[in-house]
Amino acid sequence: MAKPGRARGMLVSARADLCQLEGYHSPQIEVAVRLNTNESPYPPPERWRDELLEALSSVQLHRYPDRDATALREAIGDLHGVGPEQIFCANGSNEVIQSLDLAYGGPGRSVALFEPTYAMHRHIAVNTSSAVATGRRQEDFSLDLSEIARVARESQPALTFLCSPNNPTGNADSLAEIQEAAAVVPGLLVVDEAYGQFAPRSALPLVAAGSPLVVLRTFSKTWALAGLRLGYLVGPAEVVKSLERVALPYHLDAVKQVAGKLALSYSAEMQERVSLIAEQRDKLMAALDELPVRYWHSDANFILFRPERVEGHKVWEMLLDRSVLIRDCSSWPGLQGCLRVTVGTPDENSVFLNALEDCIL
Ligand SMILES: *Cc1c(COP(=O)(O)O)cnc(C)c1O
């Protein structure tokens, strides 16, 4: 094993195999129109805020929070028709992913994923010293079952990640394909549904049916609570037990537990936002039809597209000059020249469209 070497002064250098962050994180720049990280363009309901402030006045911050987050897990379980023993919560679904990698991945084990997909699936696997087995999606970004079978056979992954709708391509996988994938992978199939509420279908019924499959959801996108950092997994109770073994004690703070549970009583408002955004997404796709860009049909709250006349990265820069920030995927594997725009408010979308026309026409 490599010894921790000394860098300059008293510093010890970190593990050399840690994932390089360059090129992944979206810059946090001050702009007029921010359409780069797939957040909700609308804040959570005002009434929720008022109720939260009220509820917080009785939270005992000098005490550790409920370690099991029982009330929150029961409320999430109710939402999906399962018991709290089938729910694992964490600080964003990224932390759920990290918990999965810690419990099921790690040295000597491999994690499979299919590119192009959500970069954190690879990133967190690498940081937990899991081997990454990479497969590909098809040209149109749909799943390739023979490719999944190949990776499963060659690498025997303990975890296989799918993302539906897939970030950054926007397409939702079919349930039949997800079911077939669950049948060919040797370990656990993880379906990341961060954008699940925007999609026409969900893999959640497959969990209920007892497949070796877990579904990840987050409050960051549809619930308009990216700042809260709350995500969760729905899966078999034995998986939840394993994840609890790698979670830090009291990892879910008391404020988050209260705020998350309270948010669940605003399902109707959340659904209203989802419908509004889905409607705007469809309008945005129709507008892109008229422009010299190729775009891919989206079942989520963002659209992947590739300008045809001007190079993608150049367009990204030109938009930034116009104070419109979107995601530059142009150098990501399999996405040459592609950009991803988050669906915003009607105003933000028209500023984006006008600026885009300006850049490419
Ligand atoms: C945004 C996103 C997440 C959310 O991560 P949080 O940690 O819950 O904010 C997870 N998976 C995918 C595919 C995403 O795009």
Side-chain angles (χ1 to χ4, degrees):
M1 194 181 281
K3 290 214 180 94
R6 282 272 167 90
R8 257 184 314 162
M10 295 299 286
L11 288 178
V12 176
S13 53
R15 267 169 46 205
D17 62 328
L18 290 181
C19 211
Q20 300 301 311
L21 279 173
E22 289 109 70
Y24 173 67
H25 282 302
S26 202
Q28 292 194 307
I29 321 173
E30 277 308 315
V31 286
V33 174
R34 179 188 304 281
L35 300 172
N36 64 332
T37 43
N38 300 344
E39 294 143 308
S40 168
Y42 303 108
E46 242 168 73
R47 212 155 45 83
W48 172 83
R49 279 173 175 255
D50 296 344
E51 265 195 81
L52 176 62
L53 290 179
E54 172 86 34
L56 289 184
S57 64
S58 54
V59 171
Q60 298 203 322
L61 285 175
H62 61 298
R63 298 291 184 191
Y64 281 114
D66 174 12
R67 186 165 169 169
D68 297 324
T70 311
L72 174 62
R73 286 165 62 205
E74 277 174 353
I76 294 173
D78 285 347
L79 183 71
H80 297 301
V82 299
E85 72 283 354
Q86 289 196 255
I87 305 293
F88 175 77
C89 295
N91 296 288
S93 47
N94 282 318
E95 196 183 53
V96 179
I97 296 168
Q98 178 173 274
S99 304
L100 282 164
D101 285 344
L102 286 172
Y104 292 91
R109 290 183 168 224
S110 76
V111 169
L113 45 87
F114 298 86
E115 299 274 14
T117 193
Y118 184 49
M120 293 307 289
H121 292 163
R122 172 184 301 281
H123 180 97
I124 299 169
V126 168
N127 282 352
T128 56
S129 297
S130 317
V132 178
T134 306
R136 298 208 51 83
R137 285 178 170 261
Q138 312 212 49
E139 278 292 298
D140 67 355
F141 302 135
S142 61
L143 288 178
D144 181 342
L145 284 165
S146 60
E147 174 74 342
I148 295 176
R150 177 190 69 79
V151 171
R153 196 174 53 245
E154 289 175 5
S155 307
Q156 297 294 313
L159 290 170
T160 298
F161 281 88
L162 300 180
C163 188
S164 178
N166 187 41
N167 182 4
T169 59
N171 56 306
D173 299 323
S174 85
L175 288 196
E177 286 170 331
I178 292 174
Q179 216 160 4
E180 280 189 58
V184 301
V185 300
L188 209 52
L189 184 71
V190 183
V191 185
D192 186 338
E193 290 191 352
Y195 307 94
Q197 290 92 333
F198 293 106
R201 54 191 168 269
S202 164
L204 281 166
L206 304 180
V207 175
S211 304
L213 172 153
V214 297
V215 172
L216 310 189
R217 289 272 170 115
T218 177
F219 282 65
S220 296
K221 314 286 163 57
T222 39
W223 288 96
L225 289 170
L228 189 64
R229 310 304 302 127
L230 178 59
Y232 62 93
L233 164 148
V234 187
E238 62 179 290
V239 173
V240 172
K241 280 215 179 80
S242 302
L243 298 178
E244 281 165 353
R245 290 162 68 182
V246 297
L248 295 174
Y250 312 110
H251 73 299
L252 280 188
D253 65 78
V255 172
K256 188 188 320 275
Q257 291 188 33
V258 168
K261 177 169 185 287
L262 195 57
L264 296 174
S265 55
Y266 287 82
S267 289
E269 286 83 346
M270 186 274 288
Q271 196 49 53
E272 221 173 278
R273 286 167 166 70
V274 167
S275 307
L276 259 175
I277 293 165
E279 209 175 284
Q280 284 300 311
R281 170 195 68 203
D282 295 346
K283 280 193 179 157
L284 206 47
M285 286 196 283
L288 292 177
D289 269 331
E290 309 300 317
L291 295 174
V293 302
R294 159 134 199 234
Y295 75 88
W296 285 266
H297 176 86
S298 170
D299 296 309
N301 68 338
F302 55 83
I303 301 168
L304 184 77
F305 68 99
R306 182 166 53 211
E308 283 169 350
R309 295 184 195 157
V310 188
E311 200 266 309
H313 178 70
K314 178 82 191 142
V315 172
W316 181 82
E317 283 178 340
M318 290 166 79
L319 287 170
L320 193 54
D321 288 341
R322 290 159 177 78
S323 208
V324 175
L325 179 61
I326 65 170
R327 196 62 182 264
D328 183 5
C329 315
S330 61
S331 62
W332 298 5
L335 296 176
Q336 210 192 358
C338 289
L339 303 173
R340 188 196 70 194
V341 62
T342 303
V343 179
T345 62
D347 281 352
E348 288 172 328
N349 299 336
S350 60
V351 172
F352 159 73
L353 279 172
N354 289 334
L356 180 65
E357 282 179 19
D358 220 20
C359 302
I360 63 175
L361 284 184

